[in-house]
Amino acid sequence: LSEYREEMITRYIASLPTQAVASLNLPALSLITPSTYSERLSAVKGAMRGLQVGVRVPPSPESNLMADAIAELLRMRLHEALREVAGETYGVHVRTTFNESQGVLINMLFQNDSGQCSETAKIVELELARMLNKPPSEIEVQAVRDKGRKVIADLPQNAAAYALVMADQWQLNQGKPLAKIPDLAEYTPAMMHEYIKSWLEPSRWASGTFNCRNEIDFDKLKSVFAAK
């Protein structure tokens, strides 16, 4: 059988064309210049803004839960402030990711009317400055606790989500037995503010926009941070 296979392979190789293959003459692709790209975007009414803060902290269930708590507080603050003046703001979407090499990333995304871009940038600057300058209220922290408890309580009802969370927790524990979920009752306004001042430090932020100028000036937060 092996001799037969060798013979068939030899015949196949011998049957392959030996002449050079003609090169393809493909048309050149033109690049989109910033000016034409901006013109296309200007016809779109809606605008999007994304924010990201990255914190290099060791992976652990405690750090993961604190990241989710801060992300929820950011969502609450920005949603409340933006819906008053930002036009078509349908909600602030947040997502946290965590791994050993990058630490924690908190990502936020929201849509607004393209005519309110400068206003939304000022609101973001103001709300981040407020978070650095003053602890959250007990009502806000209780809302964060309630949201976290609901997420934890609802997980067993969603097998796929539960499996993913268990896998994440196993990774965060670096293969050790899963630790007990941190007690959300321990989260106080003062405690969260200490983490906020450390994790939301101005140099950790980045932003991006669609159909808006990227006008958020994180340097403005440095004066607030320096006063701490």
Side-chain angles (χ1 to χ4, degrees):
L1 183 61
S2 61
E3 292 178 358
Y4 173 75
R5 286 178 176 172
E6 288 181 11
E7 182 181 353
M8 293 299 294
I9 292 171
T10 301
R11 288 182 181 181
Y12 172 73
I13 293 175
S15 69
L16 294 175
T18 57
Q19 67 272 21
V21 178
S23 60
L24 296 176
N25 186 19
L26 298 175
L29 297 177
S30 62
L31 297 177
I32 299 176
T33 64
S35 60
T36 58
Y37 193 52
S38 299
E39 287 170 5
R40 292 185 182 185
L41 290 181
S42 64
V44 181
K45 182 181 180 182
M48 301 288 292
R49 187 180 297 279
L51 302 167
Q52 183 182 83
V53 59
V55 190
R56 290 191 174 274
V57 292
S60 71
E62 293 80 7
S63 296
N64 191 35
L65 196 62
M66 178 56 74
D68 288 341
I70 292 177
E72 174 60 14
L73 183 59
L74 281 165
R75 187 200 66 78
M76 290 165 48
R77 284 282 185 92
L78 290 177
H79 176 73
E80 184 68 23
L82 288 167
R83 71 177 182 176
E84 298 294 333
V85 298
E88 298 177 0
T89 299
Y90 301 109
V92 178
H93 306 279
V94 297
R95 181 172 179 266
T96 60
T97 57
F98 211 124
N99 60 59
E100 189 171 0
S101 60
Q102 289 183 311
V104 62
L105 293 176
I106 302 176
N107 299 281
M108 286 152 283
L109 183 69
F110 63 86
Q111 180 180 351
N112 60 270
D113 190 299
S114 58
Q116 301 289 340
C117 291
S118 296
E119 287 76 5
T120 60
K122 293 174 183 176
I123 289 171
V124 171
E125 292 170 359
L126 177 62
E127 290 305 316
L128 293 182
R130 283 183 59 215
M131 289 187 71
L132 288 171
N133 193 44
K134 185 178 180 181
S137 68
E138 177 59 35
I139 294 175
E140 289 176 316
V141 174
Q142 186 59 49
V144 169
R145 295 190 200 108
D146 292 343
K147 176 68 178 292
R149 286 167 179 152
K150 185 178 186 306
V151 169
I152 293 169
D154 290 347
L155 270 177
Q157 310 304 318
N158 187 328
Y162 187 80
L164 288 173
V165 169
M166 292 296 288
D168 287 342
Q169 293 300 313
W170 182 86
Q171 183 184 37
L172 292 173
N173 278 275
Q174 301 178 341
K176 300 189 292 290
L178 295 181
K180 182 173 71 71
I181 296 176
D183 187 359
L184 287 165
E186 298 175 358
Y187 285 23
T188 65
M191 174 187 177
M192 287 200 67
H193 193 222
E194 289 303 313
Y195 276 92
I196 287 168
K197 289 188 293 183
S198 175
W199 288 17
L200 303 189
E201 192 270 332
S203 65
R204 302 186 192 278
W205 285 90
S207 66
T209 59
F210 172 87
N211 210 22
C212 266
R213 285 192 177 91
N214 200 4
E215 299 173 308
I216 294 180
D217 185 1
F218 294 108
D219 286 339
K220 289 183 179 179
L221 302 176
K222 292 181 179 178
S223 59
V224 177
F225 189 78
K228 297 292 110 187

